[in-house]
Amino acid sequence: MKNLVISTGAGISAESGISTFRDAGGLWENYDVMEVASHEGFLRNPDLIHRFYNQRRIELTKAKPNAAHLGLVELEKYFNVNVITQNVDNLHERAGSSNVLHLHGELMKVRSLRHEERVYELPCNLLSDKGLETSTHTVDAYGDGVRPHIVFFGEDVPNFEPACRLAAQAHVFVVIGTTLSVYPAAALLRYAPASAQVYYIDPNPASVPSHVHVIAKKATEGVKELIQMLTK
Ligand code: OAD
């Protein structure tokens, strides 16, 4: 089977009711990104960051995968599919995607402040707070505080290298629902081989090289069209 690598951003989850970041009404219009999603912001005001991600988790529990997430699962019948996502939601996993690599972390996980390899999936019995909400008082079984398992601006993106290796093996590379404005994620496209077919689904696409086939539609419609093109 050919390798299909799909790089997704906030736009794929928009039709599930999850806010994007930079669209009108997006999260970064209502919150200062440097306060709630940067390393310095976390050092300055960890309470605010816990509250921000607690709200995002509540939002996520109310959301369901949409037809675009499900369409990518259907493509596993025809391709060896790897999804590389900038999203911190778990909608690809809940839709049933087999291979999902998160570039910017995972909302439903927190990790120890002292030992970052100690990662806990929420809800978790090893934490003092056993629900989906955490605070500066939440400790793990070792008595260490925790933080969201999110890549903040100013931090390394440890999954970028494995993502590049996947992109470099793509026969077909698809980008869905991203402004392609955050690096290094936006650079992944450049790692696809010159021989790969490349598609970009977004109702308001960013400018991309001319060899990219742009489908200027919402993710649910665009993925339907993509499936028809790739499987006919
Ligand atoms: P953005 O909010 O920057 O971009 C969302 C993209 O989704 C835009 O290009 C929209 O046109 C598109 N879009 C909106 N509705 C759509 C729909 N129904 N179907 C398809 N596309 C749609 O989100 P990202 O590019 O994902 O990082 O943002 C990248 C990173 O910036 C995020 O991972 C986050 C943020 O800061 C961190 O927090 C580390």
Side-chain angles (χ1 to χ4, degrees), residues 9-11 15 21-23 28 86 104 151 153 178-179 182 202-203 219:
E15 291 165 87
F21 298 94
R22 295 175 185 79
D23 288 305
W28 295 160
Q86 295 175 76
H104 293 164
V151 174
F153 284 97
T178 168
T179 43
V182 173
D202 194 302

Side-chain angles (χ1 to χ4, degrees), residues 120-141:
Y120 306 101
E121 176 128 25
L122 298 174
C124 179
N125 281 333
L126 297 171
L127 299 177
S128 58
D129 287 312
K130 305 213 185 302
L132 294 180
E133 300 187 31
T134 58
S135 73
T136 46
H137 303 293
T138 307
V139 289
D140 65 11

Side-chain angles (χ1 to χ4, degrees), residues 27-41:
L27 279 174
W28 295 160
E29 212 170 82
N30 298 311
Y31 295 90
D32 180 345
V33 53
M34 293 320 277
E35 291 304 318
V36 299
S38 77
H39 186 72
E40 294 73 25

Side-chain angles (χ1 to χ4, degrees), residues 156-168:
D156 288 342
V157 181
N159 279 342
F160 186 62
E161 274 190 34
C164 292
R165 284 196 290 274
L166 289 172

